[in-house]
């Protein structure tokens, strides 16, 4: 699952991603929960709980760089 919110220098508005709740999911293969890499609109209030990862490369992956980053925060990961 990837959470993104826009990329600099592309047409269209970059909207902040807010209020994500993921409960009781199973991720198989891939990267698990990924935030980024395009987050120029920001990402806030991500809550993940009771999640199982089976065969994923990562559990939680937060990725960005200086030319793609916006304001991110208030992440809660448990169980």
């Amino acid at each position: 699952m990837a959470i993104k919110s826009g990329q600099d220098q592309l047409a269209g508005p970059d909207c902040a991603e807010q209020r994500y709740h993921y409960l009781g999911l199973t991720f198989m293969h891939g990267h698990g929960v990924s935030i980024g890499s395009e987050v120029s609109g920001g990402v806030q209030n991500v809550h993940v709980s009771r999640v199982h990862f089976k065969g994923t490369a990562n559990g939680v992956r937060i990725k960005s760089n200086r030319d793609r980053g916006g304001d991110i925060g208030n992440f809660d990961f448990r169980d």
Side-chain angles (χ1 to χ4, degrees):
M1 174 162 316
I3 301 171
K4 298 185 175 201
S5 65
Q7 187 174 7
D8 285 341
Q9 301 172 349
L10 292 180
D14 293 328
C15 298
E17 296 293 334
Q18 297 187 15
R19 296 188 183 103
Y20 277 92
H21 297 273
Y22 300 107
L23 304 170
L25 300 175
T26 299
F27 289 89
M28 301 180 74
H29 312 295
H31 291 288
V33 177
S34 293
I35 300 171
S37 63
E38 293 97 13
V39 291
S40 60
V43 176
Q44 298 289 327
N45 306 313
V46 178
H47 304 281
V48 179
S49 63
R50 297 189 318 263
V51 173
H52 299 275
F53 300 97
K54 296 181 180 181
T56 60
N58 307 85
V60 176
R61 182 179 181 197
I62 300 173
K63 57 183 185 167
S64 189
N65 63 27
R66 284 178 267 182
D67 64 343
R68 293 184 180 182
D71 185 33
I72 64 171
N74 195 25
F75 301 149
D76 178 31
F77 299 97
R78 27 177 114 205
D79 303 325

